[in-house]
Amino acid sequence: MTAPSKTSRTAVSGVAGYVSPAALPRSGGRLTKEDLDPLVRAAGQGDQAAIADLLHVLRPVVARYCRARMGGRDLSYLAADDVAQDVCMAVLKALPDYQDRGGSFLYLVHAIAANKVADAYRAVARDRSEPVPELPEHPLAGGNEPESHALRLDLGSRLQELLTRLAPLQQEILALRIVVGLSANETAETLGISAGNVRVTQHRALSKLREMVQGQDF
């Protein structure tokens, strides 16, 4: 898995430090307990190579999760990336004290990420007066006109609003399965539920979304 190039970090949006969702790499390989455990044990013992490998695996997963839960609503993608960085630092801090009690390490990562996202929203709720970043002076890559870009932003906003009408577990499963790209088994280990529950809940969430979309003027 290769990191996004410097060009992809700037040319996509015209905002320094921004990486488009499409440019974020998906995790290579599986993230099940049996795959992560050896790496987590070595990293917890201070093995620097294992720590680097663990971050390499987790960083895109965490970034995609934070983007899914934050980007495009009250908080920007840049803010989501900042939170993702905080999550990774918190995970590293928790490593030495981590004890395997039979669950997946992803369960701890998800708990930390969910708390960090919640903290970010609480911070925004306390201070609605913070100005938003200025829009880039140059048009987005790909020759998109401002009008079509605005329409896509509006559509994304409406879809995000529909997502908030789903139950919290449904939102989490859609974020992990569709945006982060985890398998049903990986998602089950992350949330501490069965893979069958993941599949059923995902099906119901998508069905509910479909019903809501059909009732909207998209």
Side-chain angles (χ1 to χ4, degrees):
M1 176 171 54
T2 58
S5 66
K6 182 177 180 181
T7 300
S8 69
R9 292 180 64 86
T10 57
V12 174
S13 70
V15 179
Y18 176 86
V19 184
S20 73
L24 281 175
R26 291 184 183 272
S27 175
R30 298 187 304 168
L31 293 174
T32 58
K33 176 177 170 58
E34 61 182 5
D35 298 301
L36 281 180
D37 276 359
L39 195 58
V40 171
R41 280 195 298 269
Q45 294 169 0
D47 186 325
Q48 294 301 309
I51 291 174
D53 288 343
L54 184 62
L55 277 179
H56 184 71
V57 169
L58 293 180
R59 186 175 288 115
V61 172
V62 171
R64 284 182 174 275
Y65 174 80
C66 291
R67 290 284 188 90
R69 304 301 288 149
M70 297 171 58
R73 288 189 285 178
D74 291 336
L75 298 171
S76 69
Y77 284 128
L78 289 177
D81 290 346
D82 288 339
V83 172
Q85 183 67 22
D86 289 342
V87 172
C88 289
M89 296 302 296
V91 168
L92 289 183
K93 186 176 181 180
L95 266 176
D97 297 324
Y98 175 71
Q99 297 181 3
D100 183 3
R101 294 185 171 86
S104 171
F105 186 70
L106 283 180
Y107 186 88
L108 172 65
V109 175
H110 174 262
I112 292 174
N115 285 333
K116 292 289 186 181
V117 168
D119 288 343
Y121 272 109
R122 281 192 288 267
V124 170
R126 286 194 298 268
D127 184 10
R128 291 286 181 176
S129 63
E130 183 178 354
V132 299
E134 293 182 3
L135 294 174
E137 295 180 2
H138 303 289
L140 297 181
N144 296 318
E145 295 82 2
E147 294 83 357
S148 61
H149 178 55
L151 287 173
R152 282 194 300 275
L153 289 178
D154 180 60
L155 176 60
S157 177
R158 282 185 284 171
L159 286 174
Q160 287 283 7
E161 194 276 330
L162 291 179
L163 284 172
T164 63
R165 301 183 190 178
L166 297 176
L169 180 60
Q170 292 177 328
Q171 295 182 42
E172 291 294 313
I173 287 176
L174 290 185
L176 293 171
R177 291 283 283 126
I178 297 175
V179 182
V180 179
L182 298 187
S183 68
N185 288 335
E186 292 165 345
T187 301
E189 291 186 357
T190 301
L191 298 176
I193 59 179
S194 69
N197 195 352
V198 168
R199 294 187 180 95
V200 170
T201 304
Q202 179 182 350
H203 175 74
R204 290 175 177 171
L206 291 175
S207 296
K208 186 172 180 62
L209 269 181
R210 191 176 299 112
E211 292 174 0
M212 289 189 293
V213 167
Q214 290 173 348
Q216 297 272 338
D217 184 18
F218 278 89

